Amino acid sequence: MKAIVFSEHGGPEVLRYTEAPEPKVSATEVLLRVRACALNHLDLWVRRGLPGISIPFPHIPGSDIAGEVVKVGELVTRVPVGQKVLLAPGLSCGQCPACVAGADNLCRRYTLFGYMVDGGCAEYVRSPEVNVIPIPGDLSFEEAAAVPLVFLTAWHMLMARAQLQPGEDILVLGAGSGVGSAAIQIAKLVGARVIATAGSDAKLERAKSLGADLVINHSRQNIAEEVKRLTERRGVDVVFEHIGTATWEMSVASLAPNGRLVTCGATTGYEGRVDIRYLFSRHLSILGSYMGSKAELYAVLKLLGQRKLRAVIDRVLPLAQCAQAHKLMEKRGQFGKIVLQP
Ligand SMILES: [Zn+2]
């Protein structure tokens, strides 16, 4: 089969479009013909290499996968050949206390397609049956692939961790990113007032079209000062963080009393300073969040099937152009998801 394969870490040039062996399915697995695979910031981290983590080489990237079932193992009971499906991106043991409690994203063996196991940047991918979910509603393969990782992440951050309430104010950083564009929509569905940031006026217009009430251009405005101005100096109840060092202090400074900062990433760096006096005297909470459970993915997919939430796709490219897509993401040139088609 054709696939994107890399055997060393580095820049986009390590990604080769080449032949790879077709995956063999075990008794409890399903073989998918991939019809669409969406990229995430995780793809960049995995390609560059992460400290202390050895990715098995040769490696096929890609965590967000939609396609058709073409083969099932003999113990598979729920998934028929021919079904149009997407894959829950998170893989876990299914048996530990976290997994059986429904918090599979906290499993010690948790990983993702395209991370420690081969992903969907290929013509075929194998998956455990438990990860296979029918595509909801009339979503296309491209839309279905654009959803799982970012909508699951944003949903878990806002609903499970920050517990965003109707009428609250939320600051969503990086509206042009996959998680940012998902968070704006979920926050509006909850009934919150959304302040979104982006680095260009064109991206801010798109943020407004997704429902953002107020916008801040972070390339020429100070986020914390603007938040204070837009909220009559009160600050916001929730900050949706995934930027890291570049925005951290402004994010903390933007919180109202009882405010919650929830973060799922640090694309600009891992270090963030917090004035502890400010933390306790203002009753602030700093919440980490990593992916979400399979049950939460079912919950968010139901809303996508009903078109109450929408996949945001920047562009669809042939799989062979994976390296160009990585370059585009590194320049933050996109609004929403880049989807590849094998
Ligand atoms: Zn487990």
Side-chain angles (χ1 to χ4, degrees), residues 7-317:
S7 298
E8 58 177 326
H9 293 297
E13 70 281 354
V14 302
L15 301 169
R16 289 175 301 121
Y17 181 62
T18 184
E19 286 293 328
E22 196 178 298
K24 290 193 169 50
V25 294
S26 74
T28 55
E29 287 180 327
V30 165
L31 186 70
L32 223 66
R33 171 151 173 63
V34 180
R35 298 290 298 274
C37 182
L39 296 182
N40 290 284
H41 213 88
L42 179 67
D43 292 86
L44 304 182
W45 293 120
V46 170
R47 192 206 70 218
R48 290 171 191 155
L50 289 149
I53 292 168
S54 19
I55 307 292
F57 287 139
H59 186 66
I60 298 174
S63 308
D64 271 333
I65 305 160
E68 282 159 308
V69 176
V70 291
K71 198 185 284 181
V72 299
E74 67 258 33
L75 297 179
V76 167
T77 55
R78 181 176 57 87
V79 180
V81 168
Q83 189 161 42
K84 294 177 179 178
V85 300
L86 59 87
L87 298 183
L91 298 148
S92 65
C93 80
Q95 302 191 37
C96 71
C99 281
V100 295
D104 51 284
N105 53 321
L106 299 181
C107 175
R108 289 183 67 174
R109 289 172 60 189
Y110 192 79
T111 188
L112 299 159
F113 286 107
Y115 188 9
M116 295 306 283
V117 299
D118 279 342
C121 284
E123 286 182 290
Y124 296 93
V125 67
R126 69 189 175 105
S127 166
E129 182 184 17
V130 70
N131 284 69
V132 180
I133 301 176
I135 292 178
D138 60 354
L139 262 62
S140 66
F141 286 118
E142 292 75 23
E143 288 175 307
V147 166
L149 199 146
V150 290
F151 273 92
L152 176 57
T153 298
W155 182 267
H156 186 67
M157 289 170 77
L158 296 181
M159 309 305 283
R161 299 296 281 146
Q163 300 190 4
L164 182 67
Q165 300 296 313
E168 286 193 319
D169 286 343
I170 177 172
L171 173 67
V172 176
L173 298 177
S177 66
V179 280
S181 56
I184 291 170
Q185 296 183 67
I186 294 167
K188 286 307 293 179
L189 199 62
V190 167
R193 184 171 70 150
V194 176
I195 304 172
T197 78
S200 77
D201 290 339
K203 286 187 180 182
L204 292 175
E205 280 310 309
R206 302 235 9 218
K208 282 185 192 167
S209 73
L210 291 175
D213 300 282
L214 301 161
V215 292
I216 298 171
N217 185 326
H218 64 67
S219 65
R220 58 163 196 267
Q221 292 175 302
N222 177 292
I223 293 173
E225 281 172 17
E226 276 302 297
V227 166
K228 288 283 156 66
R229 189 180 69 78
L230 294 168
T231 59
E232 282 87 41
R233 307 214 59 76
R234 180 178 168 272
V236 292
D237 303 289
V238 173
V239 175
F240 183 91
E241 247 290 349
H242 52 106
I243 313 291
T245 304
T247 52
W248 188 260
E249 284 190 50
M250 283 187 287
S251 293
V252 176
S254 299
L255 288 167
N258 265 332
R260 293 90 74 197
L261 185 160
V262 61
T263 180
C264 71
T267 52
T268 61
Y270 307 127
E271 303 283 336
R273 204 183 70 87
V274 176
D275 183 332
I276 297 166
R277 295 165 300 179
Y278 197 73
L279 183 72
F280 68 71
S281 65
R282 293 175 71 82
H283 258 217
L284 305 181
S285 302
I286 293 179
L287 305 166
S289 192
Y290 184 61
M291 298 294 293
S293 71
K294 287 189 183 71
E296 289 176 296
L297 182 57
Y298 276 99
V300 77
L301 284 171
K302 190 171 173 185
L303 294 163
L304 279 134
Q306 295 167 353
R307 299 281 178 187
K308 288 178 180 160
L309 297 171
R310 285 181 180 272
V312 181
I313 296 175
D314 177 80
R315 72 194 70 188
V316 180
L317 296 171

